[in-house]
Amino acid sequence: MAAYVEFKNVKKIYKMGETQINALNGVDFEINKGEFCVIVGASGAGKTTILNILGGMDTLTSGSAVLDGTDISKMTKRQLTAYRRYDVGFVFQFYNLVQNLTALENVELAAQICRDPLNAADVLKQVGLSERMKNFPAQLSGG
Ligand SMILES: Nc1ncnc2c1ncn2[C@@H]1O[C@H](COP(=O)(O)OP(=O)(O)OP(=O)(O)O)[C@@H](O)[C@H]1O
Ligand SMILES: [Mg+2]
């Protein structure tokens, strides 16, 4: 069976004026469906760059990134928008919550662009935040 996620010889070069930064220099890995995977490496090793490519938020310079049989490196901007919206979930290091909306409103906002969204209040209850639905992000703990 083919791997669910497959990076093949992925290179990412950031250009900053005259200088080029080789953020990824030929990355190969596979993740099988259902596998729990952790990416570990020194600061600057390219972890965020890999996740940004896999999350459809950045593009690669060469190589291929295949998810469930589709090469996301060949997607158009429009296809990547649909991919981010429907196919991939992403928790940012700095959350990207809307600061002046409550916890409930933040989840409701995301639910508006989902297909078949779950009930926002029910989901917050399931993760133990039933008492915190009316709190703003600044009033919640990070985790
Ligand atoms: N937008 C960018 N423009 C230029 N260089 C970048 C950009 N983003 C990342 N880099 C460079 O690419 C390399 C990989 O960065 P990346 O952020 O992927 O590392 P990381 O493994 O996530 O590091 P950390 O553990 O510190 O989060 C680094 O040399 C970084 O300086
Ligand atoms: Mg990082």
Side-chain angles (χ1 to χ4, degrees):
M1 198 182 79
Y4 197 65
V5 177
E6 189 172 12
F7 266 47
K8 270 194 232 160
N9 199 21
V10 173
K11 296 186 182 175
K12 175 70 185 181
I13 299 170
Y14 288 108
K15 290 202 176 77
M16 301 214 306
E18 297 283 280
T19 49
Q20 287 198 346
I21 294 165
N22 295 310
L24 301 176
N25 213 355
V27 171
D28 293 285
F29 65 84
E30 292 181 358
I31 306 171
N32 293 314
K33 194 165 188 176
E35 191 177 352
F36 186 91
C37 176
V38 178
I39 299 174
V40 184
S43 181
K47 304 179 294 293
T48 297
T49 305
I50 287 174
L51 290 176
N52 284 344
I53 292 169
L54 196 52
M57 284 168 290
D58 202 353
T59 54
L60 46 76
T61 307
S62 66
S64 68
V66 178
L67 189 132
D68 196 13
T70 305
D71 190 344
I72 57 174
S73 66
K74 297 206 162 52
M75 285 184 178
T76 61
K77 275 193 169 175
R78 203 179 180 84
Q79 288 172 319
L80 279 175
T81 301
Y83 170 75
R84 285 193 300 269
R85 193 167 294 176
Y86 303 122
D87 296 333
V88 68
F90 211 100
V91 180
F92 292 93
Q93 194 157 8
F94 296 106
Y95 320 120
N96 288 8
L97 294 168
V98 181
Q99 292 298 320
N100 57 354
L101 296 181
T102 64
L104 181 64
E105 289 163 346
N106 265 282
V107 179
E108 284 172 343
L109 182 65
Q112 284 185 12
I113 58 167
C114 277
R115 275 188 205 127
D116 302 326
L118 300 171
N119 178 276
D122 288 347
V123 169
L124 284 169
K125 277 181 204 143
Q126 280 168 19
V127 298
L129 286 173
S130 52
E131 308 294 314
R132 297 293 195 147
M133 288 191 208
K134 290 190 177 146
N135 283 183
F136 292 96
Q139 300 167 318
L140 299 168
S141 67

